[in-house]
Amino acid sequence: MDRIDFRQHAVHSLEEIREKVGTPHEAVVKKSISMIDEQARSYIAMSPMMFLATSNREGQCDVSPRGDGPGFAYVANEKQLIIPDRPGNRRVDSLQNILSNPHVGLLFLIPGMEEVLRVNGRAAVIKDHPVLEKLALKDKAPALGIVVEVEECFIHCPRALKSSGIWDQGSWPSKEERPSSMDIFHAHLRINGYPLE
């Protein structure tokens, strides 16, 4: 498949972007705060899922879904929240990235709600701290946690979730129509030459 050459159409300045999209309303700029207030705390307490965006020192990015029950992320105070690192596939992409570049972005969701809560800040990976007991699941505290020092927090408009119809079950593809995660997994293993039995 031939790659498309976009070089002649690439944007190289913020001025070019502003020429196309305009400038934000003052209220959109001023809605960003540098802490977790009571409204944001309430949102996080109801959120069973979030996406964690990280990148390494070289700028290679990753986004990882995180979730348990509502309020799985613990708000310690207005400047700090802690995310449990539950057992998974052991790739630890997010944790490796945080070790080389602490800047993270979080996107919290509440099922049925089209506005999302965005939190940006600096993260650190912690172990053996008593606060991890507050993140216990079935009486088992996580071995590791991610502490985020909050630098920015704001509610994001509903346009993307509303346009996608993500919460409208009537628009969901049937189970038979959905891509098979196992087929995708096996196809990618074959591309990398991993033998399948």
Side-chain angles (χ1 to χ4, degrees):
M1 181 187 307
D2 292 334
R3 294 179 63 146
I4 302 171
D5 185 351
F6 291 107
R7 286 174 294 183
Q8 291 184 351
H9 301 274
V11 172
H12 298 285
S13 69
L14 178 57
E15 289 75 19
E16 290 177 88
I17 292 173
R18 287 290 176 215
E19 185 180 307
K20 293 292 184 183
V21 303
T23 55
H25 188 279
E26 185 181 4
V28 173
V29 175
K30 293 285 175 92
K31 72 178 179 177
S32 175
I33 60 176
S34 60
M35 63 183 196
I36 298 175
D37 67 343
E38 284 305 311
Q39 296 295 326
R41 182 186 287 259
S42 174
Y43 190 109
I44 293 169
M46 293 188 67
S47 174
M49 183 169 197
M50 57 151 286
F51 292 89
L52 169 64
T54 61
S55 69
N56 64 18
R57 187 179 289 111
E58 290 74 37
Q60 295 166 309
C61 299
D62 183 70
V63 179
S64 173
R66 303 287 170 129
D68 281 326
F72 73 96
Y74 173 63
V75 178
N77 52 64
E78 66 180 21
K79 294 297 287 184
Q80 295 174 308
L81 64 87
I82 302 103
I83 304 155
D85 188 64
R86 304 288 184 213
N89 60 18
R90 300 187 187 102
R91 282 181 55 109
V92 298
D93 296 310
S94 301
L95 304 184
Q96 287 184 83
N97 285 347
I98 289 168
L99 292 177
S100 69
N101 177 3
H103 299 282
V104 299
L106 316 177
L107 192 68
F108 288 92
L109 301 110
I110 295 175
M113 188 169 176
E114 292 171 332
E115 294 80 6
V116 298
L117 185 73
R118 291 171 57 175
V119 177
N120 298 313
R122 296 172 67 87
V125 181
I126 60 168
K127 65 177 183 177
D128 304 327
H129 191 285
V131 75
L132 294 175
E133 294 295 332
K134 295 182 180 293
L135 304 171
L137 182 64
K138 296 180 181 175
D139 297 323
K140 183 168 183 173
L144 300 168
I146 300 167
V147 177
V148 178
E149 298 281 341
V150 176
E151 296 175 339
E152 190 175 32
C153 176
F154 59 96
I155 198 78
H156 191 92
C157 75
R159 182 181 181 114
L161 271 66
K162 188 183 291 261
S163 297
S164 70
I166 192 74
W167 304 125
D168 176 14
Q169 292 187 29
S171 71
W172 293 357
S174 68
K175 189 173 182 180
E176 296 73 31
E177 294 173 309
R178 293 178 213 157
S180 162
S181 59
M182 194 55 69
D183 286 350
I184 295 169
F185 179 54
H186 286 164
H188 292 181
L189 288 176
R190 280 191 290 273
I191 288 170
N192 284 322
Y194 185 86
L196 296 172
E197 296 180 7

